[in-house]
Amino acid sequence: MLTLLEILKYTIPALIVLISSYLIVQKFLVSQIKRKQLALLQDNQQITVRLRLQAYERLVLFIERINPRQLVPRIYMSGMSVADLQQALVFNIKAEFEHNLSQQIYVSSNVWNTVRGVMEQEINMIGTLAHQLKPDAPAKDLHMRIIDAILSEPGVMPTDVALQIINEEAKMVLSYGAQH
């Protein structure tokens, strides 16, 4: 019995020290893991904000490039027919759009739907104006019709509306990203 008490006299304090050490180390490790996870989350948010901002930049560039004021002078060449110019404009718009398809994963559905809607409006406007002319007429006629349509259109151009929506969302991302 004395031997048992002697063993317990050394064992119980050792167990208490072992349990308290385990609990302290456990608490320390959990807090370290949480700290590392938080740091990783902040790094990921910074990367995500950068990717989203790059997507907004590319979509702004896309909208600017399909704006008829920019697109028509870039594509138009003397000697083209109305059908040639229409085909070249539509091809260019679709190629630009396909080049930026992957940006939809970084922006809201509102921005993406707006961008897609502007693209479709531009293609429809070109098609409508081209169908008012003979396909073999000089492309200059279509060029002039597009310019007249832009100048006579009441209100804000669809490309301007899209740019405003993209800018507003990019500013929200910037302010949200700056907080983290």
Side-chain angles (χ1 to χ4, degrees):
M1 178 85 159
L2 223 64
T3 317
L4 182 59
L5 283 176
E6 196 65 30
I7 292 173
L8 287 176
K9 185 168 103 176
Y10 293 110
T11 309
I12 290 178
L15 284 174
I16 291 173
V17 169
L18 177 68
I19 290 171
S20 59
S21 297
Y22 172 78
L23 291 175
I24 290 171
V25 168
Q26 177 71 15
K27 188 174 181 181
F28 174 75
L29 289 176
V30 166
S31 70
Q32 286 292 64
I33 289 172
K34 285 182 181 179
R35 220 176 282 152
K36 286 183 180 182
Q37 286 174 337
L38 182 61
L40 184 62
L41 180 64
Q42 288 175 339
D43 288 346
N44 284 343
Q45 284 178 337
Q46 288 176 354
I47 291 169
T48 302
V49 167
R50 253 183 307 205
L51 289 173
R52 291 187 74 191
L53 290 175
Q54 287 174 353
Y56 293 122
E57 289 171 1
R58 288 190 57 184
L59 292 178
V60 164
L61 184 60
F62 167 70
I63 294 295
E64 288 291 348
R65 289 181 59 83
I66 69 165
N67 184 324
R69 291 180 183 158
Q70 307 297 324
L71 180 65
V72 175
R74 196 173 65 243
I75 302 298
Y76 172 78
M77 292 186 301
S78 62
M80 292 178 98
S81 68
V82 166
D84 294 337
L85 182 57
Q86 177 189 6
Q87 183 180 11
L89 292 171
V90 170
F91 176 81
N92 192 279
I93 291 171
K94 287 182 178 181
E96 290 277 347
F97 182 75
E98 288 173 8
H99 182 70
N100 289 292
L101 273 174
S102 64
Q103 302 314 306
Q104 67 184 302
I105 64 174
Y106 300 110
V107 299
S108 71
S109 59
N110 180 44
V111 166
W112 184 250
N113 290 337
T114 301
V115 168
R116 191 174 57 222
V118 168
M119 177 205 60
E120 291 168 357
Q121 284 178 329
E122 297 300 325
I123 290 173
N124 288 339
M125 184 224 10
I126 292 166
T128 301
L129 295 174
H131 284 102
Q132 295 172 0
L133 302 167
K134 293 181 180 177
D136 58 347
K140 181 110 178 122
D141 295 348
L142 179 56
H143 181 255
M144 295 310 294
R145 287 268 174 116
I146 292 172
I147 298 300
D148 289 343
I150 293 169
L151 295 176
S152 66
E153 187 172 312
V156 183
M157 295 278 298
T159 52
D160 294 334
V161 172
L163 289 174
Q164 181 181 359
I165 290 171
I166 294 169
N167 283 328
E168 287 173 5
E169 189 167 306
K171 286 177 185 173
M172 285 187 342
V173 168
L174 267 174
S175 64
Y176 175 75
Q179 295 173 0
H180 294 295

